Amino acid sequence: MPTATAKLVDERNKIREENPSDPRINEMNLEINKSTKEHRQQKWTEHLENCPPGSKKLWDTIKSLNDQPTQ
């Protein structure tokens, strides 16, 4: 999680403790979700850029996407 997003989460949590019905909370949640999504997408893109075509790393990544979670 980016530092700016972590700070925003902390700020939101403080506001939530003081006043759970504060309308800024919803706006902050949207911003946190957007920032987190962008960060995860950037990390995924970086990972794929570091996987040469046909490499074991790429095939392991593909396999991990298709594996069913164990219970």
Side-chain angles (χ1 to χ4, degrees):
M1 181 179 294
T3 305
T5 305
K7 288 179 182 179
L8 189 58
V9 168
D10 290 340
E11 183 181 342
R12 181 210 50 201
N13 291 343
K14 288 177 186 176
I15 291 172
R16 187 181 284 162
E17 286 177 11
E18 294 171 5
N19 181 8
S21 62
D22 193 316
R24 294 180 293 171
I25 294 173
N26 288 335
E27 294 169 16
M28 293 174 123
N29 283 335
L30 291 174
E31 190 173 336
I32 290 166
N33 290 339
K34 180 182 176 188
S35 176
T36 302
K37 180 181 176 182
E38 289 171 356
H39 179 71
R40 292 182 73 185
Q41 187 173 18
Q42 177 187 2
K43 289 296 185 182
W44 177 247
T45 301
E46 288 172 7
H47 176 76
L48 291 179
E49 287 174 352
N50 291 325
C51 293
S55 69
K56 180 173 178 3
K57 185 176 181 181
L58 177 62
W59 286 111
D60 287 345
T61 300
I62 293 169
K63 183 180 179 214
S64 70
L65 294 173
N66 292 324
D67 280 346
Q68 297 295 322
T70 57
Q71 294 196 14

